[in-house]
């Protein structure tokens, strides 16, 4: 059996739906002061801002610039300059330079025997006087024993180092360990001067590169080389006999642990 249902019979009597156009509503009227429920405040007077003052540009300030560190005054005092010159002259002296392996390394590397100013300025005694390389170079220009390069970056001896027998110099040099509390150069010169004529005294830090000229000691056996891990002094006498006498008389035989110990820089083979 088949049933046919006509959809047209469903809600056949319902009216056709037509949407109504919504009429626009007028905007709400603005609230006026004085109406109930509206707070009113007195008007705040607005004062005009004062006219902006014209900017004033100083011509000098406009052209001025902050001075750089190199432009600031770096001149040393007369006393400091004298100390700097004397100390550097000692570094390049005949008494010190032949046994100063560290400086000789730079001198041999440069064709004219110059040493860079920063190398000199890195030494402890120089750093205590000045850390300005420009001031250091300016001070060294006043020395008659030294020559500063035109660019102010290097310094050398005015006179070339004469041929010196390093073995002979180091043969009359002693090494002093367990130094006294007052181990200034002046104090050590006085102490070792009781034995003979002292030509040079140099105080070296532990493991200092300046303590021994390795080039001069290269031909000696390792057992003959002096290696010190303590604060020590190198004392150069005028003769070998004076150096041997210092070893015999100044060494504290009763206190080998902390007493003064003096020995020859180069130990002679029997």
């Amino acid at each position: 059996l088949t049933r046919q249902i006509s959809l047209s019979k469903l809600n056949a009597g319902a009216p056709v739906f037509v949407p109504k156009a919504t009429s626009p509503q007028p905007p709400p009227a603005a609230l006026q002061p004085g109406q109930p429920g509206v707070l009113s405040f007195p008007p705040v007077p607005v004062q005009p801002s004062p006219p902006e003052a014209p900017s004033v540009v100083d011509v000098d300030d406009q052209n001025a610039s902050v001075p750089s560190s190199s432009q600031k005054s770096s001149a040393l005092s007369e006393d400091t300059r004298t100390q700097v010159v004397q100390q550097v002259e000692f570094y390049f002296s005949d008494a010190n330079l032949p046994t100063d392996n560290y400086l000789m390394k730079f001198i041999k590397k440069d064709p004219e025997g110059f040493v860079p100013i920063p190398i000199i300025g890195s030494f402890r005694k120089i750093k205590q006087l000045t850390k300005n390389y420009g001031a250091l170079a300016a001070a060294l220009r006043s020395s008659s024993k030294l020559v500063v390069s035109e660019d102010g970056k290097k310094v050398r001896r005015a006179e070339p180092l004469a041929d010196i027998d390093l073995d002979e110099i180091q043969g009359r040099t002693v090494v002093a360990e367990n130094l006294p509390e007052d181990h200034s150069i002046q104090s050590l010169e006085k102490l070792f001067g009781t034995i003979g004529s002292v030509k040079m005294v140099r105080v070296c830090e532990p493991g200092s590169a300046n303590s021994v000229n390795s080039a001069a000691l290269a031909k000696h056996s390792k057992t003959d080389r002096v290696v010190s891990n303590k604060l020590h002094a190198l004392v150069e006498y005028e003769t070998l006999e004076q150096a041997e006498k210092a070893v015999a008389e100044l060494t504290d035989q009763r206190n080998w642990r902390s007493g003064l110990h003096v020995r020859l820089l180069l130990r002679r083979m029997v």
Side-chain angles (χ1 to χ4, degrees):
L1 297 177
T2 62
R3 298 180 61 181
Q4 295 181 354
I5 300 176
S6 176
L7 296 178
S8 62
K9 295 181 180 181
L10 297 177
N11 297 329
V16 179
F17 174 77
V18 179
K20 297 181 180 181
T22 58
S23 59
Q25 298 181 359
L31 297 178
Q32 300 296 330
Q35 292 182 358
V38 179
L39 298 178
S40 60
F41 299 92
V44 179
V46 179
Q47 298 180 357
S49 58
E52 185 175 341
S55 59
V56 179
V57 179
D58 192 340
V59 178
D60 294 336
D61 292 341
Q62 190 176 15
N63 297 331
S65 60
V66 179
S68 61
S69 58
S70 60
Q71 294 173 338
K72 296 181 181 178
S73 176
S74 59
L76 303 178
S77 64
E78 184 65 23
D79 183 60
T80 303
R81 184 190 63 81
T82 301
Q83 295 182 56
V84 167
V85 172
Q86 290 179 349
Q87 187 62 40
V88 179
E89 285 180 347
F90 168 74
Y91 292 150
F92 286 89
S93 65
D94 293 340
N96 178 77
L97 191 57
T99 58
D100 194 326
N101 185 55
Y102 185 67
L103 277 181
M104 289 298 296
K105 177 179 65 175
F106 293 96
I107 292 175
K108 293 179 180 179
K109 187 181 300 184
D110 188 271
E112 299 181 6
F114 278 104
V115 176
I117 289 290
I119 297 300
I120 303 298
S122 66
F123 293 163
R124 178 176 56 85
K125 291 184 178 181
I126 299 300
K127 287 195 296 184
Q128 293 174 350
L129 297 173
T130 180
K131 296 181 180 179
N132 188 305
Y133 296 156
L136 174 59
L140 297 181
R141 290 186 188 276
S142 63
S143 172
S144 60
K145 301 179 181 179
L146 304 172
V147 175
V148 179
S149 61
E150 293 183 0
D151 57 6
K153 296 182 179 180
K154 298 182 292 185
V155 61
R156 64 171 173 84
R157 285 171 54 110
E159 299 292 336
L161 184 65
D163 293 335
I164 299 176
D165 188 351
L166 293 180
D167 286 343
E168 190 272 333
I169 293 177
Q170 296 184 354
R172 47 185 168 86
T173 300
V174 298
V175 180
E177 297 175 322
N178 298 338
L179 301 178
E181 184 176 355
D182 181 9
H183 50 268
S184 63
I185 299 296
Q186 295 77 9
S187 177
L188 293 179
E189 285 179 345
K190 184 178 180 180
L191 172 63
F192 288 89
T194 59
I195 300 299
S197 177
V198 175
K199 300 191 64 175
M200 185 273 297
V201 174
R202 182 165 70 239
V203 178
C204 305
E205 299 295 331
S208 171
N210 295 340
S211 60
V212 177
N213 190 313
S214 58
L217 297 178
K219 62 183 179 180
H220 296 276
S221 64
K222 293 183 179 181
T223 57
D224 294 334
R225 300 182 186 181
V226 175
V227 178
S228 177
N229 294 324
K230 303 178 180 180
L231 178 72
H232 58 285
L234 297 179
V235 182
E236 178 189 344
Y237 280 100
E238 190 171 337
T239 64
L240 172 61
E241 290 72 22
Q242 293 174 350
E244 294 175 335
K245 183 178 180 181
V247 173
E249 297 187 9
L250 294 182
T251 298
D252 189 352
Q253 302 289 350
R254 296 172 297 179
N255 187 2
W256 281 90
R257 184 178 297 273
S258 59
L260 181 63
H261 184 208
V262 183
R263 58 181 176 179
L264 293 175
L265 177 60
L266 293 182
R267 300 176 182 177
R268 294 182 301 173
M269 299 294 292
V270 178

